[in-house]
């Protein structure tokens, strides 16, 4: 008798068995951890709510959302350039969109390398075949303008890449405006990584002559990770349009992305929930205004730094080039960053970050992290962690200094 072509469901045994897994409720902590590391950061309720919605990625509603995202992004980037686009992907995807559209085989790129993230831009340049030279800057310092000018004279770059806030070693490139001017005067386009800093401190794309700015969602903007933004100047866009060889990264091809972000057409299915979340994050930035947001970030970060120092811990970066958006704190002798991070997370439900092999922990001051109640909880948790690990700190002095900083008595 021939075997029946019908088999009952119970007799089907799959070659790869169905795994036994736990539900998210069983995996996630009952009370969410306070996200005070180098990102992702806490998201406002309006962002979380938007992130729970799926709409058609094409059509009138999406077109309106995209239009508003672009106009709000122009305010946050401080640019009148038309060429604002979103990217489905991390901050690094926006970075790769900037590099891979503006650089190709043989392009001369000068990368000002302050650390882990600015090196990533150099690496992306190498991968598209560009001739990348780096200006290697010592840890915990910035390149002098003389060094930058000299490197530009020597390398004659078509593109200069620079990070505004090097999150890895918590260095702030406070010369950004002057570096852009030097590059511009030499005829180079300037790409700025503002993933960590955008909306936490001034950045004026047009006034400073920057040609491409990139940012992620999960840092200063306090949106979700996975949807990022990029803005090109007219000069950069001309270079994108004028290239002869197509970009090998199909998803990151700015000319294809233009279909969706400017012509209401299809490129790939946009991460609609993430775009809605980003819309709400940008709307909250606009409602607060950049001026007030910068002031909030500055006050909170300086108060945090005062609190950490007053309890007896050392800040990693000298004040002159210290990044306010992410604060680096030296880990006391005999402990590793992982010791501190795991203790504070387990015992105090506060997440902070280590840093790629450096002997520091990092506390973020980006977006929703800059709220007074989050700061008190974090300084307390960090101080208690030190006490519990057997490190001598003066926690009450730290909390008092934090309060003085926040109440304007610094
Ligand atoms: C976080 C960060 C990045 C990378 O962003 P991802 O979203 O992790 O890809 C790049 N540059 C800087 C300065 C950052 O802080």
């Amino acid at each position: 008798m021939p075997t029946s072509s019908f088999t009952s469901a119970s007799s089907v045994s799959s070659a790869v068995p169905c795994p036994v897994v736990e539900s998210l409720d069983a995996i996630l902590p009952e009370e969410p951890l306070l996200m005070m590391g180098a990102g992702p950061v806490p998201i406002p309720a309006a962002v979380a709510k938007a992130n729970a919605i799926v709409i058609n990625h094409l059509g009138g509603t999406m077109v309106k959302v995209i239009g508003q995202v672009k106009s709000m992004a122009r305010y946050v980037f401080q640019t009148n350039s038309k060429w604002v686009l979103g990217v489905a992907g991390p901050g690094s995807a926006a970075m790769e969109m900037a590099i891979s559209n503006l650089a190709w085989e043989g392009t001369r790129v000068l990368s000002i390398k302050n650390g882990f993230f600015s090196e990533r831009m150099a690496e992306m340049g190498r991968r598209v075949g560009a001739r990348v030279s780096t200006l290697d800057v010592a840890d915990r310092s910035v390149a002098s303008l003389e060094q930058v000018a000299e490197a530009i004279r020597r390398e004659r770059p078509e593109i200069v890449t620079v990070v505004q806030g090097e999150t890895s070693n918590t260095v702030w490139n406070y010369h950004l405006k002057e570096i852009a001017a030097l590059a511009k005067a030499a005829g180079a386009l300037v790409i700025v990584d503002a993933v960590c800093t955008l909306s936490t401190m001034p950045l004026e794309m047009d006034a400073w002559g920057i040609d491409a700015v990139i940012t992620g969602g999960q840092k200063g903007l306090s949106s979700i990770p996975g949807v990022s933004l990029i803005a090109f100047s007219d000069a950069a866009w001309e270079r994108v349009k004028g290239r002869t060889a197509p970009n090998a990264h199909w998803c990151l091809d700015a000319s294809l992305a233009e279909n969706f972000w400017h012509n209401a057409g299809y490129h790939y299915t946009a991460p609609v929930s993430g775009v809605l979340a980003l819309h709400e994050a940008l709307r909250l930035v606009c409602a607060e205004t950049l001026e007030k947001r910068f002031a909030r970030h500055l006050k909170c970060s300086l108060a945090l730094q005062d609190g950490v120092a007053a309890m007896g811990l050392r800040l990693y970066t000298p004040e002159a080039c210290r990044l306010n958006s992410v604060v680096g704190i030296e880990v006391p002798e005999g402990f590793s960053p992982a010791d501190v991070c795991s203790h504070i997370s387990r015992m105090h439900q506060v997440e902070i970050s280590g840093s790629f092999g450096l002997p520091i922990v990092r506390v973020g001051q980006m977006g929703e992290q800059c709220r007074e109640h989050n700061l008190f909880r974090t300084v307390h948790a960090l101080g208690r962690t030190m006490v519990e690990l057997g490190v001598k700190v003066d926690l009450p002095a730290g909390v008092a200094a934090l309060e003085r900083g926040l109440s304007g008595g610094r």
Side-chain angles (χ1 to χ4, degrees):
M1 219 173 88
T3 41
S4 162
S5 57
F6 296 100
T7 19
S8 74
S10 64
S11 72
V12 175
S13 77
S14 37
V16 179
C18 189
V20 178
V21 298
E22 292 175 82
S23 72
L24 274 183
D25 282 343
I27 295 171
L28 296 174
E30 217 162 285
E31 183 193 331
L33 303 181
L34 180 60
M35 300 295 287
M36 295 299 287
V41 308
I43 54 173
V47 172
K49 185 173 166 218
N51 190 45
I53 300 167
V54 172
I55 64 170
N56 191 341
H57 66 116
L58 301 171
T61 306
M62 198 61 187
V63 167
K64 179 146 197 199
V65 168
I66 292 297
Q68 297 202 150
V69 165
K70 286 188 296 185
S71 65
M72 293 188 289
R74 286 186 191 105
Y75 168 64
V76 178
F77 285 126
Q78 286 292 290
T79 185
N80 286 311
S81 170
K82 176 171 183 221
W83 305 113
V84 172
L85 305 113
V87 192
S92 300
M95 186 188 278
E96 201 148 38
M97 192 158 177
I99 303 279
S100 67
N101 282 284
L102 294 172
W104 47 82
E105 201 68 39
T107 301
R108 294 186 307 280
V109 175
L110 171 65
S111 281
I112 301 174
K113 183 182 153 191
N114 287 92
F116 190 79
F117 289 112
S118 33
E119 163 57 23
R120 187 172 290 180
M121 285 196 279
E123 173 61 14
M124 287 176 179
R126 286 180 215 111
R127 288 186 181 206
V128 299
R131 283 171 26 210
V132 178
S133 52
T134 56
L135 174 56
D136 295 335
V137 186
D139 192 34
R140 297 190 247 196
S141 63
V142 297
S144 71
L145 291 178
E146 292 70 35
Q147 287 172 316
V148 173
E150 210 272 317
I152 289 175
R153 269 197 303 276
R154 189 178 61 239
E155 306 295 344
R156 297 183 302 109
E158 294 156 276
I159 291 171
V160 173
T161 70
V162 57
V163 65
Q164 184 177 32
E166 177 53 76
T167 324
S168 61
N169 56 8
T170 64
V171 162
W172 171 40
N173 252 323
Y174 57 87
H175 284 322
L176 183 56
K177 178 183 172 186
E178 291 79 12
I179 290 172
L182 285 172
K184 190 125 241 130
L189 296 178
V190 183
I191 301 177
V192 172
D193 173 350
V195 175
C196 133
T197 46
L198 196 77
S199 88
T200 73
M201 61 169 65
L203 179 135
E204 299 188 25
M205 181 172 169
D206 286 2
W208 298 358
I210 299 167
D211 295 289
V213 180
I214 59 161
T215 199
Q218 77 278 19
K219 305 222 179 152
L221 294 178
S222 270
S223 186
I224 60 155
V227 181
S228 302
L229 284 170
I230 183 166
F232 293 99
S233 69
D234 284 338
W237 195 253
E238 216 171 281
R239 186 173 167 88
V240 170
K241 287 295 175 177
R243 65 184 289 163
T244 46
N247 189 340
H249 294 286
W250 187 89
C251 284
L252 300 179
D253 185 327
S255 289
L256 296 179
E258 183 188 358
N259 286 340
F260 179 75
W261 286 88
H262 290 275
N263 301 332
Y266 174 65
H267 175 202
Y268 52 75
T269 305
V272 285
S273 314
V275 172
L276 294 172
L278 183 61
H279 180 283
E280 287 305 277
L282 289 167
R283 193 177 57 73
L284 292 173
V285 175
C286 292
E288 183 175 16
T289 75
L290 286 176
E291 291 77 7
K292 290 204 179 110
R293 197 171 175 92
F294 296 154
R296 170 163 67 87
H297 280 79
L298 187 63
K299 182 174 86 171
C300 285
S301 184
L302 293 180
L304 169 68
Q305 292 166 38
D306 285 351
V308 167
M311 83 167 80
L313 297 172
R314 274 204 302 269
L315 298 166
Y316 187 62
T317 310
E319 203 170 350
C321 63
R322 185 180 299 153
L323 182 61
N324 287 327
S325 321
V326 177
V327 176
I329 303 163
E330 290 184 22
V331 170
E333 274 294 317
F335 296 95
S336 72
D339 294 335
V340 177
C341 294
S342 65
H343 186 98
I344 192 172
S345 171
R346 212 175 57 241
M347 305 305 289
H348 300 281
Q349 292 73 51
V350 173
E351 286 282 297
I352 62 173
S353 308
S355 188
F356 316 110
L358 293 173
I360 59 174
V361 292
R362 294 176 300 158
V363 175
Q365 281 297 276
M366 299 177 283
E368 293 307 298
Q369 293 175 321
C370 294
R371 300 286 179 200
E372 299 194 354
H373 54 286
N374 291 339
L375 285 172
F376 278 103
R377 188 166 152 200
T378 302
V379 165
H380 175 262
L382 183 63
R384 291 298 311 174
T385 293
M386 292 301 159
V387 170
E388 286 152 11
L389 290 175
V391 178
K392 204 172 165 302
V393 293
D394 188 345
L395 177 50
V399 174
L402 174 63
E403 169 57 23
R404 265 198 308 281
L406 291 175
S407 57
R410 191 172 190 251

